[in-house]
Each structure stands twice: as C-alpha cells, then as structure tokens.
Amino acid sequence: MTPHISRKRSMLAISTAVAAGALLAAGLTTGASAQPVAPSGAPVALSSTARAGLLQDADADKAATAEKIGLGAKEKLVVRDVVKDANGTTHTRYERTYDGLPVLGGDLVVHTAKSGKVKRVTKATKATVKVASTDAKLGKSSVAKSAESTAAKAKTTKADAQSPRKVIWAAEGKPVLAYETVVTGMQKDGTPSRLRVVTDAATGKKLFEKQEIENATGNSQYSGKVEIGSKKGSNGFDLTDDSRGGHSTFNLENGQGEGKIFTDDDDTWGNGKPDDPQTAGVDAAYGAQVTWDYYKAVHGREGIKGDGKGATSRVHYGDSYVNAFWDDSCFCMTYGDGEGNKKPLTSIDVAAHEMSHGVTSATGNMEYSGESGGLNEATSDIFGSSVEFNAKSPEDIGDYLIGEEIDINGDGSPLRYMDKPSKDGQSLDNWSADAGNVDVHYSSGIANHFFYLLSEGSGAKEINGVKYDSPTADGSKVEGIGRDKAEKIWFKALTTEFTTTTDYKAAREGTVKAATDLYGADSAEVKGVEAAWAGVNVK
C-alpha cells in the first residue's frame, strides 16, 4: 500500500499490524435513547493488576485449553489479551505456535463461560495447521537478499534485512513453512520503513509483503487553552503525565531519532502558534490524554494494551514532513509539522487515530491488506471520531470528519467523510466483490459508512453545526441507534471477535455477536447493526 501524496491531495492512512501504523498516505448524539443499565454481556473495567491476573491464569491453563479446543500435539498457545464480561464470560486471545514456530494467521479467541466451559472459538484460519516438515530448503542469506530486493523495488533507501525467522504461514490457503523477514530503511518521503516479507521456505516464492509504517495548563494550536499532565523534573518541569501511565512527549527538532523530552521552567507550555515548538507538544500530549481518558471511561481499558502503561509522543519529525505514524517497536506516535512546518499533524482525531492503531495491534490485529486492512484503517477513523466527540473541546467540536483541522488538502476540506466516504473522490461507500483489491485507505470507507449509519442513520441532518447526507446502497432508510451504543459494539467486536484475517462478512458477524451480547438477540441494536451493514451492501 503506497498511495501517492501531493500538496493538493493527501489521505489519512494509519497502519497497524504487528509493528506499526502511520497517518498519511495520501456533544450530542442524534438518534440516541436513554442508556440502559449495563448489560451482562458488557465488558467490565479491568485494573492492570486484575488483567495481569487473568493473563497469568490463562497462561497456566494454556495446555489444557489447547486440548479442549482440539489443537494438535505440536500446537501450543501463547496468551496475548483478555476481556471479561459482567456475566463472567472471558474472551482470551491467543497466538499459536507449531513445533515451536510462530503461526502467522493462526491467532484465535477462546470464549469461556463463568463455569469454565468453552462456549466457542473464533479462529483466523479454519485450516488445519500442519506441515510435512519444518526443515527449510532455502538458506536465510538468500531469503534476506530476496527481501532486500523487494525493498529496493519499493524504493527503500538504506535497506537492511534483519535475520529471517522461520514461521508457518496460515493467513491464506493451506499452511506452509515460510520465512518472515523485516527490512528496515527509509521510504522516499522520509517515513521510516519496516517492510515485512513472507517467503515460501521451499520455493522462494513471495507469499506476502506489507509496509508496516505508512504515510499515516498549555496553549495548543487546535484545542485552545487546555490542562495537560506534567511533573517536576531536574530542569523545571517535564511533559510527562504520570496519571496516564507515564506518557511523555519528546521534541525531535525537525530531525529523527529519540529526541529530547519537553521541559519548561514555569509549567506553562506553548503559545498556541506553530512558531513555538512547545505548541505541537501540547497538542500531542492533549490528544494522548483525551484518548487515554476515552478508552478508560467508555470502554474500561486502561492504556493502549490495557496494562496501565502510557505510550510516547514525538513531534517535529523531519522538515515539512506531511505525515504521522504509530510504531509498535517504540510504542510511540510520531508527528510531522506539515507543509512549511505550519500545520503539525497533532489534532485530536489524528492523535486518537494513531493511538487506536496501537489498540488494534494489541487486540484484533487485522492484517493490513485486503478487506482486513480496510477494517484496520476504519477502526482508527471510528475511534478517532469517537474520541473527538467525547473530548467535548469547544475549539475542536466532535464530527464525522477525519483530519478537518490539519488542512492537508490546503482548501479547508477534511481527509475523510464518514457519512459519504466517496466525497473524497476515492473511498468506497459500499462493499463489492472487488473491495479486497482496493487500497485499504479507500476500502476503509465501507466500515466508516457503516459506523455513521449505525450511529446516526441515513438521510440529511445537521450535527454540531455540520451538515451530513448519508445514502444507502439500496436506497433503504436506516435508523441510527446512537453513537454511544455504536462505539461500544465496535469496540467489543474488535476486542473479542476480530482476528488477523477478518473480512467484511466476518466483521458483520462479529458486530452482530457483539450487539447480541450487549443488548440481546432480538434487540433494536442488533437489528440496527444488520440494517447498517445492509446499507453498505454487506449481507
């Protein structure tokens, strides 16, 4: 996925997958009814200690769980995440190994009742994981050279292939023995590169290729005067928020590397304009703050991984760099300053978009290609918009427009429209059989449109001063159930139903299951989910 970026048109594109995600490649809730008492199928808020305890229990029982769900003798489970519902049901997410090798596309979620009985299992692949031998015919050196050649074709400079690791490739078709190679370097626009290449260990055929980093009290530029977390340091105050997991904000000074933590003598940061380097730091810190608060208050998740640990924000990356990205390898968000270093890409929805890629990476982890890649991208749009609404900033009012504050297009238009995604000239409003072959930045429009219809319904309306007019694929009228419910349904599906290979059909099934758990099988909310998917031609 390498969309073109120009001065006239760019596109929000934040990737996740195993390692990274980036920003650019190129409140009132209408229709809401009174919130019911929390349903028994709703997730409960887990402290970092409680979550760690559940993960330890799952790890201790993983051999027994593998036997319960019918895995082969050579298969083992590796615990990744856990969600617990009010009714005692736990949803434990696992990676899988085969004869000691990681199985890519072998992830699964085990849904266990309070009694300990396995209710069902959601698997990324339905194929039996088995290969004739784990002895590779190809050597690592030839595989690494081939991966570097692939990076060269992608115009990666300073390409450096890390030592390939042997894996089982199960994300598509029949599982095969393969090598996974990560090639680091620099993309042609200045974005760091982490190209992941999967190669058949017997034939040398390239099975998969993915760019994991893509072109995706202070005075802030976008949110006015805000309160941000800081602490007393050795040189005055440091821009570190200990109340939110120790999130810190660093200044890259228009370069790269790790940067320097922002410090200030009097604990008053920035002047609200881009000529003060602290201003972008304030926006990034504030965006991280309101995103942390959103996930904790709305979904009971403390931090990106649910472990109470904060990420890191880095601003002023490169010179006139029109991009931003999330990177799992440093657990950080990185922001450029935009054209002419005048519009740092640090608005609320962009910051939330970036951090949400981290949440996706820790949960559903939808592979960043095909339909699963569109769902990955849309998830960050969905939560970017949801965080913006939840923040209730008088300067950056909640809307269903993505990136409207940073003016990447130079004409005041947003990067994306959730009510009718095709208004950007490229994104898909509805699903078709070709959706998996469309760039994931454009196929994400299908899920964005679904979320808008589920929240607000179809037709013309005005919300917080913004006019929308959302169509449906078949001309039917869709009644929204309210954003508050819609975002809870999407989050539950992300954390308990989605896997690396989830496509739009599976996303429909997952969100129906999530709505059923939350509101009941015959509820208006389940019918709303079904109607909204029908509205984007996913049936």
Side-chain angles (χ1 to χ4, degrees):
M1 142 191 156
T2 40
H4 175 69
I5 303 179
S6 68
R7 291 187 178 185
K8 293 184 178 179
R9 192 150 207 73
S10 298
M11 178 180 58
L12 197 61
I14 308 175
S15 68
T16 307
V18 176
L23 168 67
L24 288 178
L28 294 176
T29 306
T30 64
S33 58
Q35 281 293 95
V37 175
S40 63
V44 296
L46 292 174
S47 67
S48 57
T49 302
R51 178 179 178 274
L54 289 173
L55 291 174
Q56 289 175 358
D57 291 344
D59 189 62
D61 294 338
K62 62 186 178 183
T65 301
E67 185 176 355
K68 278 184 184 179
I69 65 176
L71 296 189
K74 292 186 177 183
E75 296 178 84
K76 296 186 185 303
L77 295 173
V78 180
V79 183
R80 283 192 66 228
D81 193 27
V82 64
V83 174
K84 185 174 183 179
D85 294 344
N87 61 14
T89 299
T90 57
H91 311 269
T92 310
R93 187 176 296 275
Y94 300 90
E95 300 289 356
R96 200 181 337 179
T97 63
Y98 176 87
D99 204 11
L101 301 179
V103 180
L104 306 184
D107 52 303
L108 52 88
V109 183
V110 178
H111 311 272
T112 307
K114 185 177 181 180
S115 65
K117 181 181 179 180
V118 174
K119 299 168 69 174
R120 58 188 175 87
V121 182
T122 303
K123 294 182 178 180
T125 179
K126 295 180 180 178
T128 299
V129 177
K130 185 178 181 180
V131 295
S133 172
T134 56
D135 292 328
K137 293 182 179 180
L138 296 178
K140 288 187 177 182
S141 59
S142 64
V143 172
K145 288 180 180 178
S146 176
E148 286 186 346
S149 177
T150 298
K153 292 177 182 178
K155 302 187 184 307
T156 302
T157 60
K158 301 179 181 179
D160 181 24
Q162 300 175 11
S163 179
R165 68 168 183 165
K166 221 173 350 179
V167 300
I168 304 298
W169 175 249
E172 298 174 324
K174 182 180 178 180
V176 297
L177 182 68
Y179 278 111
E180 180 189 50
T181 310
V182 175
V183 185
T184 59
M186 193 70 68
Q187 297 180 57
K188 59 183 179 180
D189 71 342
T191 305
S193 177
R194 284 178 57 87
L195 187 69
R196 184 159 65 99
V197 183
V198 179
T199 308
D200 190 306
T203 66
K205 178 184 177 181
K206 185 176 69 176
L207 301 173
F208 183 76
E209 167 190 344
K210 186 187 73 172
Q211 175 54 255
E212 294 191 332
I213 302 180
E214 277 293 345
N215 301 327
T217 305
N219 296 293
S220 74
Q221 185 167 349
Y222 302 116
S223 300
K225 188 177 290 294
V226 295
E227 292 185 1
I228 53 176
S230 64
K231 71 174 184 178
K232 186 69 175 176
S234 58
N235 296 310
F237 294 88
D238 294 342
L239 200 51
T240 295
D241 189 351
D242 282 342
S243 66
R244 295 175 178 84
H247 174 275
S248 295
T249 306
F250 289 77
N251 184 3
L252 296 179
E253 299 177 311
N254 297 117
Q256 299 172 15
E258 296 182 359
K260 300 177 181 177
I261 193 167
F262 278 100
T263 61
D264 189 82
D265 292 335
D266 61 6
D267 208 21
T268 298
W269 306 80
N271 64 3
K273 299 178 181 179
D275 60 359
D276 185 338
Q278 287 187 358
T279 298
V282 171
D283 273 303
Y286 182 65
Q289 173 179 306
V290 296
T291 303
W292 176 287
D293 291 351
Y294 166 80
Y295 278 109
K296 185 174 182 179
V298 176
H299 302 298
R301 190 174 186 87
E302 190 173 9
I304 288 172
K305 290 186 175 181
D307 58 3
K309 297 178 181 178
T312 297
S313 292
R314 307 185 303 182
V315 300
H316 303 308
Y317 175 89
D319 184 21
S320 295
Y321 179 68
V322 189
N323 214 329
F325 53 90
W326 164 267
D327 189 343
D328 267 2
S329 66
C330 63
F331 204 58
C332 67
M333 292 81 69
T334 304
Y335 304 91
D337 286 336
E339 290 286 350
N341 296 321
K342 299 295 184 183
K343 282 279 188 176
L345 281 72
T346 49
S347 62
I348 290 175
D349 55 356
V350 171
H353 193 134
E354 296 291 354
M355 287 183 69
S356 293
H357 273 291
V359 175
T360 296
S361 179
T363 55
N365 198 26
M366 295 83 77
E367 196 65 81
Y368 209 73
S369 64
E371 292 188 21
S372 61
L375 287 161
N376 184 317
E377 182 70 12
T379 296
S380 280
D381 281 352
I382 287 168
F383 290 125
S385 179
S386 297
V387 170
E388 188 180 80
F389 272 106
N390 191 69
K392 295 182 173 60
S393 168
E395 301 292 332
D396 188 0
I397 297 172
D399 53 48
Y400 292 97
L401 310 175
I402 305 300
E404 74 281 358
E405 295 288 336
I406 56 179
D407 194 24
I408 292 298
N409 298 323
D411 58 6
S413 64
L415 296 174
R416 295 191 184 181
Y417 304 80
M418 300 183 80
D419 65 319
K420 188 178 181 182
S422 61
K423 285 196 289 187
D424 67 10
Q426 300 288 343
S427 293
L428 301 182
D429 288 337
N430 308 308
W431 183 87
S432 71
D434 192 48
N437 299 319
V438 175
D439 188 290
V440 298
H441 308 113
Y442 304 136
S443 63
S444 62
I446 302 165
N448 282 343
H449 191 194
F450 158 80
F451 183 78
Y452 178 87
L453 288 172
L454 181 61
S455 299
E456 307 293 349
S458 58
K461 59 197 64 185
E462 184 172 325
I463 305 166
N464 286 353
V466 179
K467 294 182 179 179
Y468 303 94
D469 194 355
S470 191
T472 57
D474 57 2
S476 63
K477 183 178 181 181
V478 174
E479 295 289 344
I481 66 171
R483 190 187 62 259
D484 291 344
K485 293 179 179 178
E487 62 192 13
K488 288 181 174 64
I489 290 169
W490 193 267
F491 182 80
K492 185 169 180 61
L494 172 69
T495 54
T496 67
E497 303 294 340
F498 292 177
T499 69
T500 53
T501 61
T502 295
D503 57 13
Y504 273 107
K505 180 180 178 181
R508 181 189 184 281
E509 294 171 354
T511 49
V512 168
K513 288 176 181 175
T516 299
D517 285 348
L518 289 170
Y519 303 109
D522 297 320
S523 64
E525 290 79 8
V526 169
K527 293 175 182 177
V529 169
E530 293 171 338
W533 279 124
V536 297
N537 199 36
V538 178
K539 302 176 181 178

